[in-house]
Amino acid sequence: QVQLVESGGGLVQAGGSLRLSCAAFGVTYSNYAMGWFRQAPGKEREFVAAISWNGGRTYGDDSVKGRFTISRDNAKNTMYLQMNSLKPEDTAVYYCATTSRAIARVTVAYEYWGQGTQVTVSP
């Protein structure tokens, strides 16, 4: 049974930083590309960043480029999202997910999802 567990969310002031983690269980982690998505109240889930199975390719949405960095440690079955220069509009529940594609930006490409971790950025 595949399980993804996010952690590291919290409340931070604008301009601050957080690092999210996504630990994977019950899956051959290195076989999958991974992604981060977020969903704000009343909005659809949106793409944040993605990383290929070995970390050789990464994508980030334009809204987070230069501020967020995605990475992974296959030895620890864990993916990370370093978030710097946070803005109030980054407030959302952040989800990690796995895809059997080489890499992907759309939600429908992802098969397994975590439960999410709340990130709140105050002005």
Side-chain angles (χ1 to χ4, degrees):
Q1 181 178 352
V2 178
Q3 186 178 13
L4 303 177
V5 180
E6 302 96 337
S7 61
L11 173 63
V12 64
Q13 288 188 328
S17 298
L18 285 172
R19 189 175 83 153
L20 305 184
S21 298
C22 171
F25 305 92
V27 63
T28 304
Y29 182 71
S30 59
N31 285 353
Y32 292 91
M34 304 284 294
W36 286 102
F37 292 78
R38 65 187 180 186
Q39 188 166 18
K43 295 187 177 182
E44 293 187 352
R45 192 169 298 188
E46 64 178 15
F47 172 75
V48 175
I51 188 166
S52 60
W53 71 274
N54 64 351
R57 293 169 63 192
T58 61
Y59 290 151
D61 186 76
D62 287 346
S63 64
V64 305
K65 283 182 179 177
R67 299 189 300 123
F68 291 9
T69 302
I70 188 171
S71 62
R72 65 189 293 166
D73 185 339
N74 286 353
K76 297 182 178 179
N77 278 18
T78 302
M79 175 179 64
Y80 306 97
L81 185 68
Q82 178 67 43
M83 305 187 296
N84 299 328
S85 302
L86 282 160
K87 305 175 181 180
E89 51 263 45
D90 295 318
T91 295
V93 177
Y94 283 70
Y95 299 89
C96 67
T98 66
T99 177
S100 54
R101 297 188 185 185
I103 196 168
R105 306 174 192 248
V106 294
T107 57
V108 295
Y110 287 79
E111 295 96 357
Y112 299 104
W113 293 81
Q115 293 301 306
T117 185
Q118 176 71 47
V119 171
T120 303
V121 184
S122 62

